[in-house]
Amino acid sequence: MLKYLLLSFLRHLVRPRMVYGYRRADGTWLAHTRISTATDIENPQQLVIEDHVFIGHFNFIDASGGLHLGEGTQVTNHVSILSHSSHRAGRLMGRAYWGEPQPVGFVRQPTHIGPYCFIGAGSVVMPGSRLGRGVLVRAHSYVDGSFPDYAIIAGQPAVVVGDVRELDRRWIEEHPHIASLYCGVGWQAARRPTPQEPGKEGDA
């Protein structure tokens, strides 16, 4: 019984928790932003994050090449958002990769996640990707490239499969008083997004 109580106490101490409030590198206090203690933020000085952002458990947030997370964006769990990639350089240069200041094939590009996006569990967002306002990324997607406002994207590689306003229209019709709040800019009628080809070959 004592062993069980001790283990339960230890699990309670070390389990992931959501921390409310985050101080950005420029000193700005984001009172409504919540980030898990189990999320790793690499190079936070290169992270431009707005308020009302949620970042859940066991995520890798790589800001080494520059990263913008827009207001109200939600990052679920087990997500990687990248601004650099070295796997190709490692293959190309083999043992010579270690210590090389400018390895061939190394990628470092700023990544931009617009306001009120949702990144589903298990997804990877590659360096240089850009998500517009209100983009919904379905779980286990491989995101590489640019995607328009309000797009629903899915797949490996991810492509546009819909528009979030089609999902949200009923809620706006039932609660018209919130239309002006939608995605921070107000409700706009959906226009069917142009079908997209899969993004360019990516780096993990």
Side-chain angles (χ1 to χ4, degrees):
M1 181 64 176
L2 181 60
K3 181 180 178 180
Y4 171 79
L5 292 174
L6 179 60
L7 290 175
S8 296
F9 176 70
L10 290 174
R11 281 195 294 268
H12 178 75
L13 284 180
V14 301
R15 68 180 177 84
R17 288 178 170 81
M18 298 305 301
V19 176
Y20 283 67
Y22 181 78
R23 189 167 301 281
R24 205 163 57 189
D26 65 1
T28 301
W29 176 249
L30 306 176
H32 307 99
T33 288
R34 298 146 289 160
I35 301 177
S36 169
T37 57
T39 277
D40 179 27
I41 300 178
E42 185 172 292
N43 293 94
Q45 68 275 14
Q46 296 292 104
L47 173 63
V48 177
I49 180 173
E50 307 299 339
D51 205 2
H52 297 274
V53 168
F54 173 92
I55 304 177
H57 302 318
F58 309 113
N59 297 301
F60 178 58
I61 308 299
D62 163 31
S64 62
L67 175 61
H68 182 274
L69 294 178
E71 178 184 87
T73 280
Q74 299 179 39
V75 181
T76 54
N77 305 307
H78 299 281
V79 169
S80 291
I81 300 178
L82 307 175
S83 59
H84 89 279
S85 175
S86 60
H87 79 87
R88 179 175 287 120
R91 290 196 305 275
L92 291 172
M93 300 198 65
R95 293 171 184 163
Y97 171 78
W98 180 257
E100 170 60 45
Q102 293 183 317
V104 175
F106 186 88
V107 175
R108 191 183 301 278
Q109 295 178 332
T111 298
H112 181 93
I113 309 296
Y116 297 97
C117 290
F118 178 89
I119 315 295
S123 295
V124 176
V125 180
M126 295 304 296
S129 293
R130 294 186 63 85
L131 303 185
R133 181 180 298 270
V135 171
L136 188 157
V137 180
R138 287 184 176 171
H140 305 291
S141 294
Y142 179 88
V143 179
D144 190 9
S146 296
F147 297 88
D149 294 349
Y150 309 116
I152 301 172
I153 65 175
Q156 300 174 342
V159 296
V160 175
V161 296
D163 188 310
V164 292
R165 291 168 296 184
E166 295 296 338
L167 299 179
D168 299 338
R169 182 189 306 276
R170 177 175 66 87
W171 297 93
I172 296 296
E173 290 174 349
E174 292 179 2
H175 306 278
H177 62 285
I178 65 170
S180 63
L181 306 175
Y182 189 76
C183 279
V185 293
W187 176 256
Q188 301 171 16
R191 291 180 294 181
R192 186 173 298 277
T194 303
Q196 256 189 348
E197 294 297 321
K200 63 183 184 300
E201 180 187 359
D203 304 274

